[in-house]
Amino acid sequence: MKLSTNVNLNKEPFHLNYFKTSNQRSWEVFHAHQSMEFLYVYEGEGIAHIHGCQFPIKPGTLLLFQPFQLHRLEVSERFVRTVFMFDPFPVSSALAIFPSLHKFFSVLWKSTLTHPVLYMPPAQNEFINLYEMLSIRLKNVPPSKWHEEYLLFVISFLQQLRHFEKQLTPIKTPAPEPKSSLTIKLIINWVDANFRDKFMLESLSDELHLSTFYLSHTFSEKTGSSLTKFICSRRLREACHLLETTSKSVSEIASEVGFQNSSYFCRVFKGALGVTPKKYRSEVFGEGQL
């Protein structure tokens, strides 16, 4: 299972990962997060699994993910995309003066969409230009003005999405969400809050008032991953974030994200990402900055 961007909405209500490239033979992620996400694909082919349906992924694909919506992406070969993740609440507040656009955004945010995946040839859509313009603006204005830039971007993006409103029409009578899906969401939330601590299945069981067997069996059956592997992935995502954004030592990071010792952390990290933590940091910042 491929690691993915983790965004703390309390600290970072908007997050742009522009033109991100992965060159692995296979790339996979299965997760949910509290942010909304607009993901545009420039290169790569595969499958997106969203609310029990499968959608092809190909160049020109725009995927719309809602908060806490479980989704699995499987992509082969080179994968180039832009990811925009954001907290829907400040966007909703900003759209209050635009009643029609606000109503449309609320549908994207809270309704079960018939087709949350759009297909547009790269040469014939405005979304590429909007992502590029935002990336340029963020480099040319001080951080104090980023919030405004992000809001203006979202408004422009939503205006373009309205051209596809019929395709995005919400399902009129969505089926009740199964208990297993709700359980998965609760588990993900619990892991996000407790991954730094030693994992005890009994603690999770006590908090959710569900048996240890049901929790482990349901999670494995619905995600294809054991709870232990999922928690390890969450720890590694946090480790990547700390390697990218701090100067903390590898041993400090290992301890902070929940590993018992740094040597074990390094083995697990290399097994998952193909490089050591030190090498990962050097690839992010460049060899000369180590």
Side-chain angles (χ1 to χ4, degrees), residues 235-250:
R235 289 171 174 169
L236 290 175
R237 293 206 329 260
E238 184 69 12
C240 288
H241 174 69
L242 294 174
L243 287 166
E244 294 170 8
T245 60
T246 75
S247 58
K248 294 179 180 179
S249 68
V250 170

Side-chain angles (χ1 to χ4, degrees), residues 141-247:
V141 301
S144 60
K145 295 185 178 180
W146 283 3
H147 189 89
E148 179 180 342
E149 294 295 334
Y150 279 125
L151 287 175
L152 291 171
F153 164 80
V154 174
I155 291 172
S156 297
F157 204 95
L158 291 173
Q159 288 177 310
Q160 291 299 316
L161 278 178
R162 291 182 75 178
H163 295 303
F164 305 91
E165 190 167 1
K166 290 184 179 179
Q167 293 174 241
L168 296 168
T169 301
I171 298 173
K172 293 183 179 180
T173 56
E177 191 168 17
K179 179 183 177 182
S180 58
S181 295
L182 294 173
T183 299
I184 299 299
K185 289 182 181 180
L186 291 172
I187 291 173
I188 289 174
N189 290 343
W190 185 90
V191 169
D192 200 50
N194 296 279
F195 70 89
R196 295 178 180 84
D197 303 325
K198 183 178 180 181
F199 175 57
M200 301 289 290
L201 184 57
E202 292 76 11
S203 298
L204 176 59
S205 174
D206 291 342
E207 185 156 334
L208 300 188
H209 306 292
L210 295 168
S211 72
T212 55
F213 173 80
Y214 176 78
L215 289 170
S216 58
H217 177 75
T218 299
F219 192 86
S220 177
E221 180 182 47
K222 297 300 180 181
T223 70
S225 170
S226 69
L227 266 168
T228 301
K229 287 182 179 179
F230 180 74
I231 292 169
C232 183
S233 292
R234 179 63 184 89
R235 289 171 174 169
L236 290 175
R237 293 206 329 260
E238 184 69 12
C240 288
H241 174 69
L242 294 174
L243 287 166
E244 294 170 8
T245 60
T246 75
S247 58

